């Protein structure tokens, strides 16, 4: 409770006076201090984002919603509002980069959300091709005898028609599964094989879709900002979301076998434990998560 009260008082009263005092002492506005002091990456961009969102100036507040095409004009407008010389190229370049990252994150979420909202359609030829591609990538030496088949259970779907398993995450779930299988084929096959362990086995495809939901929720609530601001110098793309998903698949498999659950019935408990572990890693402003021992495509 006291933390909330302090947060309210700070944002409502103390922050203004602190900024005023620091400007008197340094001769620089908050944005100049942030962009001139912190190194590039999450720490700087998150500070810029917070400064803009907390500003009483409408031009600055609106900057966090600017589209990519308007970033350059937005930088000029901010510099004009804050009376910063347009010749200050360091400030201009750093602010431009931060705004690209901020706008890019929002656009990435919209793209991911739009893909999630697309339901799997067995009448759509492209959807069907992606599903068959997933089978061929994971099971290269076994032909799929029919589109509706119990064989789908061999790669971790629940029944004889995988389309019912994509309801929650839509086409996004399938795209993620195919991406991992295409770019990390040997690892995907190895994890599929491990998922068939007689005691510690789990449903590969279902868990993969579950991890899509985890990646999506972390993106939606802003938890991926530090990671993407640290690893993407510019606009985060769908490729970067897919790479994070691959990290989750690879790390979850290791986590599952290290924990040695008594049975798959305890999946939700261990899934949440893994989720908390990932959220903890993402809280670090210097976070960089990479797939260990796997060569990036």
């Amino acid at each position: 409770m006291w933390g909330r009260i302090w947060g309210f008082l700070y944002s409502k009263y103390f922050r203004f006076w602190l900024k005023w005092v620091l400007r008197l002492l340094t001769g620089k506005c908050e944005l100049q201090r942030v962009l001139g002091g912190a190194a590039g990456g999450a720490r700087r961009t998150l500070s810029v984002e917070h400064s803009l969102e907390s500003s009483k100036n409408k031009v600055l507040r609106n900057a966090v919603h600017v589209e990519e095409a308007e970033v350059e004009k937005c930088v000029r407008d901010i510099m004009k509002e804050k009376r910063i010389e347009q010749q200050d190229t360091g400030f201009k370049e750093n602010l431009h980069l931060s705004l690209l990252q901020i706008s890019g994150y929002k656009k990435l979420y919209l793209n991911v959300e739009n893909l999630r909202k697309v339901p799997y359609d067995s009448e759509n030829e492209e959807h069907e091709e992606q599903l068959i591609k997933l089978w061929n990538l994971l099971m290269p030496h076994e032909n799929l005898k029919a589109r509706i088949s119990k064989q789908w259970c061999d790669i971790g779907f629940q029944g004889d028609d995988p389309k019912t398993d994509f309801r929650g995450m839509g086409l996004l779930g399938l795209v993620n599964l195919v991406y991992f299988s295409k770019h990390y084929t040997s690892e995907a096959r190895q994890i599929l094989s491990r998922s068939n362990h007689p005691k510690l086995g789990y449903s590969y495809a279902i868990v993969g879709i579950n991890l899509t939901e985890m990646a999506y929720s972390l993106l939606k609530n802003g938890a991926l900002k530090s990671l993407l601001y640290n690893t993407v110098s510019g606009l985060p793309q769908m490729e970067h979301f897919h790479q994070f998903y691959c990290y989750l698949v690879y790390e979850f498999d290791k986590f599952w076998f290290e924990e040695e659950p008594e049975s798959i019935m305890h999946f939700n408990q261990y899934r949440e434990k893994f989720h908390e572990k990932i959220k903890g890693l993402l809280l670090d402003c210097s976070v960089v998560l990479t797939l260990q021992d796997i060569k990036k495509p």
Side-chain angles (χ1 to χ4, degrees), residues 211-241:
L211 292 173
T212 289
E213 192 281 329
M214 185 182 295
Y216 163 77
S217 66
L218 290 168
L219 177 71
K220 182 178 181 179
N221 66 27
L224 294 190
K225 284 183 178 180
S226 288
L227 173 65
L228 293 178
Y229 292 166
N230 282 330
T231 55
V232 184
S233 182
L235 292 164
Q237 305 288 339
M238 186 68 79
E239 171 84 8
H240 302 113
F241 177 79

Side-chain angles (χ1 to χ4, degrees), residues 108-175:
L108 174 60
Y109 168 69
L110 291 176
N111 290 340
V112 169
E113 175 69 354
N114 288 337
L115 190 56
R116 186 190 70 85
K117 287 181 178 178
V118 177
Y120 184 90
D121 182 4
S122 56
E123 299 298 318
N124 186 305
E125 186 176 336
E126 291 183 3
H127 294 189
E128 287 287 283
E129 286 177 355
Q130 287 292 300
L131 185 58
I132 299 303
K133 183 177 183 179
L134 176 64
W135 175 270
N136 291 333
L137 284 166
L138 292 173
M139 306 289 281
H141 305 301
E142 184 176 338
N143 292 327
L144 187 64
K145 297 175 182 177
R147 167 61 181 80
I148 307 298
S149 169
K150 290 295 184 183
Q151 285 179 283
W152 290 112
C153 296
D154 294 343
I155 60 173
F157 286 103
Q158 290 181 323
D160 57 10
D161 190 351
K163 74 175 185 180
T164 59
D165 294 324
F166 293 118
R167 287 174 182 164
M169 286 291 106
L171 199 59
L172 180 64
L174 176 58
V175 169

Side-chain angles (χ1 to χ4, degrees), residues 27-285:
K28 297 179 179 180
C29 69
E30 184 177 46
L31 279 177
Q32 284 176 303
R33 296 193 300 272
V34 169
L35 291 168
R43 197 173 301 278
R44 184 169 71 190
T45 299
L46 289 170
S47 296
V48 168
E49 193 170 15
H50 176 70
S51 177
L52 294 173
E53 290 174 340
S54 305
S55 178
K56 298 182 183 298
N57 186 301
K58 186 177 180 180
V59 172
L60 271 66
R61 287 199 311 275
N62 289 341
V64 296
H65 304 294
V66 71
E67 297 288 336
E68 177 189 354
E70 297 297 317
V71 166
E72 192 170 339
K73 178 181 180 299
C74 182
V75 170
R76 292 197 301 269
D77 290 344
I78 289 174
M79 294 180 75
K80 182 178 179 181
E81 286 289 323
K82 304 304 291 184
R83 298 175 184 175
I84 299 170
E85 293 291 334
Q86 294 291 330
Q87 290 76 22
D88 188 343
T89 56
F91 178 90
K92 185 183 296 185
E93 290 172 1
N94 290 338
L95 180 58
H96 187 273
L97 176 58
S98 290
L99 289 179
L100 279 180
Q101 291 182 314
I102 293 167
S103 65
Y105 190 95
K106 295 178 187 298
K107 185 176 180 180
L108 174 60
Y109 168 69
L110 291 176
N111 290 340
V112 169
E113 175 69 354
N114 288 337
L115 190 56
R116 186 190 70 85
K117 287 181 178 178
V118 177
Y120 184 90
D121 182 4
S122 56
E123 299 298 318
N124 186 305
E125 186 176 336
E126 291 183 3
H127 294 189
E128 287 287 283
E129 286 177 355
Q130 287 292 300
L131 185 58
I132 299 303
K133 183 177 183 179
L134 176 64
W135 175 270
N136 291 333
L137 284 166
L138 292 173
M139 306 289 281
H141 305 301
E142 184 176 338
N143 292 327
L144 187 64
K145 297 175 182 177
R147 167 61 181 80
I148 307 298
S149 169
K150 290 295 184 183
Q151 285 179 283
W152 290 112
C153 296
D154 294 343
I155 60 173
F157 286 103
Q158 290 181 323
D160 57 10
D161 190 351
K163 74 175 185 180
T164 59
D165 294 324
F166 293 118
R167 287 174 182 164
M169 286 291 106
L171 199 59
L172 180 64
L174 176 58
V175 169
N176 273 166
L177 284 168
V178 171
Y179 183 94
F180 182 61
S181 300
K182 177 182 177 182
H183 292 282
Y184 302 103
T185 308
S186 62
E187 288 75 23
R189 292 173 185 170
Q190 180 184 12
I191 291 174
L192 173 61
S193 177
R194 283 160 58 86
S195 74
N196 291 317
H197 190 280
K199 182 182 177 182
L200 300 175
Y202 58 85
S203 299
Y204 175 84
I206 295 300
V207 169
I209 295 170
N210 196 289
L211 292 173
T212 289
E213 192 281 329
M214 185 182 295
Y216 163 77
S217 66
L218 290 168
L219 177 71
K220 182 178 181 179
N221 66 27
L224 294 190
K225 284 183 178 180
S226 288
L227 173 65
L228 293 178
Y229 292 166
N230 282 330
T231 55
V232 184
S233 182
L235 292 164
Q237 305 288 339
M238 186 68 79
E239 171 84 8
H240 302 113
F241 177 79
H242 292 326
Q243 283 290 318
F244 177 65
Y245 168 80
C246 293
Y247 172 85
L248 290 182
V249 174
Y250 189 69
E251 291 299 319
F252 178 81
D253 181 71
K254 290 198 302 182
F255 172 84
W256 181 263
F257 280 89
E258 287 169 358
E259 292 289 324
E260 298 185 347
E262 293 180 11
S263 78
I264 192 64
M265 300 301 293
H266 299 287
F267 174 78
N268 288 337
Q269 173 189 340
Y270 286 93
R271 189 261 192 202
E272 189 55 33
K273 186 175 180 180
F274 178 71
H275 191 195
E276 291 300 318
K277 176 183 177 181
I278 296 299
K279 287 194 292 185
L281 294 174
L282 293 171
L283 287 175
D284 183 357
C285 274

